[in-house]
Amino acid sequence: MLVLVTFVFLGYLFLYAIAFTDPPQSFEQSASAQYPLNKKTLPLSSNFLASGLPLNAWLDNEKDIALLKLLANIAPSGRNTQGAIPGTVIASPSKQHPDYYFQWIRDAAITTSTLVNIYSSESASNLTFEILEALESYASLQYRLQHTNNPSGWFTDLSSLGEPKFHTDGTPFIGNWGRPQRDGPALRALTLMAYLRAYNETHPTLWTSSEGGDWYRELYDPSMPANSIIKADLEYLSHHWQDSGFDLWEEIDGLHFFTAMVQMRALRAGAKLADDFGDEGARAWYLKQEAAMRHFVPNFWDDEREHLVATKETTRSGLDCGVLLGALHGVDSEDLEDFTIFSPQSDEVLVSMLDLIEDQRFRFPINALAAASSDLLAGVGIGRYPEDVYNGDGTSIGNPWFLCTASVSEVLYRNVVHLERQGWLNVTTLGFRFWHALSPDLITDTGNFTMAGVEFKTNLQRMKDVGDSFLAVVKEHANGDGSLSEQFDGVTGFERGARDLTWSYGALLEAIKWRRRAMDILQK
């Protein structure tokens, strides 16, 4: 066995070495603007130099770049959105090899949610007008998209809401596709509910003004049949969460962890909003469905595999970046009362993440040096799932994705914030293997650790450092101008797939935001 492991490791090193001679995939921007693989061990500290800047400095700069490039993909002001109607959030400017010049309901909602968060926290930003314009345009467009009959159905019975993507002129995509997809309505409802509350905070007199009634009714109106945007989405998901649909990767028809998590969160938030609007019948209905989902969602835990699975009754391993994304988007991290199962700090999510990292560290040659480390959580490129064969423009073998790699960092940073709020760490039998992998010298058994103990603060710092090691991988494989594609090649390390992927920028911005909060805690 030792001979086999040594042989595999040497083989990885050989592939890693020849990667320097492989030509990168052709992009519109010059390949010379990309940073090649670094010959050193993958970074585990914020002082690592790859682009000439320490990680801290690179992230400070990249934060601004990522926001500008994200806004460039949103009409009407985005420079990459020629011909798109206002409110369109394109997945990527790429129109061939691959063609991502569409608006996906899921991707657009997640991206716009990031903008809502920025608008809420940085209302005095010099980009406030552009962000607000994007939010207003997005909200207006959703009513039109909802009412557009499409291959998934008609608005009269709300079946049209399961349609996953539209052309940039607002017309439906009628080609063969994985439909329906039932995560989009939940994510859109969550984004618009957050937008409604954020806008109300910056315009406090709107709620009681004569103009406010019309503005709010476009978003939520208790009347039935549902015709307002949020109400329609909530009615759709509350009646269809038990129905199968395609997953967030648009490949498998079934019941999915990511979809269920965002649906459950949308029902909780929807019940609160219904209460604000005096819609008591809807409040009771949404809470009833959310309670039913709480009994259903634990079925995604697989006792034999000892991790969460992305899809029920799957023939795959079940390991999936979608599990991390479901945990991240399935809880309102700003609301301390929004407790749910399988949050980012749950034992089940943490051990599932550990298993995914363990698989990915040996899957791609670019991860070979980190895989040789005794640190089981050394930063590596993270792909979607082990069985992935999508290479960015066809099928052969999957690659690491920027958004998946950044999602690991966000999970870790969120745990730093959560543990500091909670004031103690309880290492259970279920979660022990994650915490032992994180701090093998400190965590040698189950038990409770309080803020007064050195182990507590040391673990928080360690989680932040590990999070940094994954963002350092993002930094290592980003283009020289800060642009992020969908994927980066598992052998050469160069960017692959759709260029300037909007979700890549949003995922990185969210990770950077939580990193800042984690650093503030550790610097107290």
Side-chain angles (χ1 to χ4, degrees):
M1 183 66 181
L2 179 61
V3 173
L4 178 60
V5 172
T6 304
F7 176 77
V8 171
F9 174 64
L10 290 175
Y12 269 162
L13 288 181
F14 174 73
L15 287 172
Y16 188 85
I18 66 172
F20 292 102
T21 63
D22 274 6
Q25 180 182 358
S26 176
F27 279 89
E28 292 183 22
Q29 60 265 51
S30 169
S32 63
Q34 300 189 27
Y35 296 118
L37 295 172
N38 195 284
K39 298 180 181 179
K40 301 178 182 178
T41 304
L42 288 178
L44 289 176
S45 76
S46 58
N47 295 320
F48 178 78
L49 296 176
S51 65
L53 289 175
L55 181 62
N56 287 337
W58 185 83
L59 289 173
D60 286 343
N61 190 51
E62 181 67 15
K63 176 185 175 183
D64 296 334
I65 292 172
L67 178 55
L68 290 172
K69 287 184 174 291
L70 183 151
L71 289 170
N73 288 350
I74 302 177
S77 299
R79 66 177 182 275
N80 295 328
T81 60
Q82 298 85 352
I85 58 175
T88 298
V89 181
I90 61 170
S92 161
S94 178
K95 297 182 179 180
Q96 57 182 349
H97 303 299
D99 184 3
Y100 276 30
Y101 202 69
F102 297 91
Q103 171 163 265
W104 271 265
I105 300 300
R106 169 185 48 256
D107 299 34
I110 289 174
T111 296
T112 307
S113 176
T114 296
L115 290 182
V116 173
N117 292 338
I118 295 172
Y119 173 74
S120 299
S121 61
E122 302 178 21
S123 57
S125 165
N126 58 350
L127 290 174
T128 297
F129 175 80
E130 188 172 351
I131 290 173
L132 186 56
E133 179 188 48
L135 295 177
E136 291 173 342
S137 299
Y138 169 82
S140 297
L141 176 60
Q142 300 317 300
Y143 182 87
R144 171 177 170 176
L145 296 182
Q146 283 184 330
H147 286 73
T148 299
N149 295 335
N150 54 62
S152 292
W154 295 263
F155 184 75
T156 51
D157 63 359
L158 301 184
S159 58
S160 62
L161 305 187
E163 185 63 17
K165 74 175 186 178
F166 292 79
H167 290 287
T168 58
D169 63 359
T171 59
F173 174 77
I174 61 174
N176 291 331
W177 209 252
R179 56 169 68 90
Q181 295 178 28
R182 305 190 191 278
D183 54 358
L187 289 162
R188 175 168 55 198
L190 285 167
T191 294
L192 290 177
M193 283 187 278
Y195 167 58
L196 184 154
R197 296 190 184 283
Y199 196 84
N200 187 53
E201 288 181 5
T202 56
H203 300 76
T205 61
L206 186 63
W207 183 261
T208 56
S209 69
S210 57
E211 298 86 2
D214 293 337
W215 189 88
Y216 286 111
R217 270 192 295 272
E218 290 181 4
L219 294 173
Y220 191 93
D221 187 340
S223 63
M224 293 288 286
N227 192 52
S228 56
I229 306 169
I230 298 173
K231 178 75 169 179
D233 280 339
L234 291 173
E235 289 298 310
Y236 175 84
L237 69 94
S238 66
H239 287 88
H240 291 285
W241 66 264
Q242 299 179 74
D243 298 336
S244 67
F246 279 81
D247 66 332
L248 78 163
W249 308 130
E250 308 183 305
E251 296 173 347
I252 299 179
D253 188 13
L255 296 171
H256 313 289
F257 179 83
F258 175 85
T259 302
M261 289 294 289
V262 297
Q263 288 174 332
M264 196 162 54
R265 177 186 169 191
L267 288 170
R268 290 195 303 276
K272 291 181 180 179
L273 187 68
D275 188 46
D276 290 339
F277 280 85
D279 194 1
E280 290 304 314
R283 175 184 177 276
W285 169 250
Y286 300 153
L287 287 177
K288 180 180 179 180
Q289 297 310 304
E290 196 270 347
M293 291 199 74
R294 282 179 180 262
H295 289 287
F296 164 72
V297 169
N299 292 315
F300 286 100
W301 176 259
D302 190 302
D303 286 326
E304 291 185 4
R305 295 182 173 101
E306 296 185 317
H307 61 70
L308 291 162
V309 295
T311 300
K312 278 185 58 62
E313 300 176 2
T314 180
T315 58
R316 294 176 177 173
S317 65
L319 294 173
D320 199 303
C321 165
V323 169
L324 305 185
L325 295 171
L328 291 171
H329 294 284
V331 62
D332 183 355
S333 56
E334 304 297 333
D335 185 355
L336 295 180
E337 297 181 358
D338 187 39
F339 298 110
T340 188
I341 53 177
F342 302 148
S343 61
Q345 60 268 18
S346 68
D347 289 336
E348 294 87 350
V349 169
L350 292 175
V351 297
S352 299
M353 182 175 72
L354 175 65
D355 287 351
L356 178 62
I357 293 170
E358 184 176 1
D359 173 272
Q360 300 290 283
R361 65 194 254 123
F362 293 107
R363 190 159 296 278
F364 305 112
I366 60 168
N367 293 339
L369 293 179
S373 167
S374 60
D375 184 357
L376 298 180
L377 289 173
V380 293
I382 301 293
R384 297 189 299 175
Y385 53 89
E387 302 85 357
D388 196 5
V389 296
Y390 178 56
N391 62 20
D393 188 31
T395 56
S396 58
I397 187 169
N399 296 296
W401 284 45
F402 283 110
L403 71 91
C404 290
T405 306
S407 72
V408 174
S409 296
E410 185 179 346
V411 169
L412 292 164
Y413 297 144
R414 282 208 199 187
N415 269 271
V416 173
V417 176
H418 167 75
L419 288 171
E420 194 273 340
R421 286 174 176 172
Q422 181 171 272
W424 48 269
L425 165 64
N426 181 29
V427 178
T428 67
T429 301
L430 177 59
F432 172 76
R433 60 191 180 95
F434 168 80
W435 293 106
H436 181 63
L438 181 76
S439 301
D441 295 331
L442 286 177
I443 307 296
T444 58
D445 200 355
T446 59
N448 289 312
F449 300 89
T450 65
M451 292 184 70
V454 65
E455 297 91 349
F456 187 87
K457 187 70 175 287
T458 301
N459 271 295
L460 295 192
Q461 182 65 54
R462 168 71 173 148
M463 292 191 88
K464 182 265 180 187
D465 289 344
V466 173
D468 282 1
S469 75
F470 283 88
L471 285 192
V473 174
V474 172
K475 169 179 175 281
E476 176 76 356
H477 299 290
N479 264 2
D481 64 354
S483 60
L484 301 174
S485 61
E486 179 184 69
Q487 310 174 22
F488 49 101
D489 195 287
V491 175
T492 70
F494 287 104
E495 295 197 353
R496 289 188 64 95
R499 67 181 180 90
D500 290 308
L501 191 78
T502 314
W503 195 351
S504 293
Y505 295 124
L508 180 59
L509 287 169
E510 288 297 318
I512 291 173
K513 176 186 75 176
W514 285 100
R515 181 179 189 265
R516 179 69 265 168
R517 294 184 180 184
M519 290 177 65
D520 288 344
I521 287 170
L522 293 169
Q523 291 170 359
K524 285 183 179 178

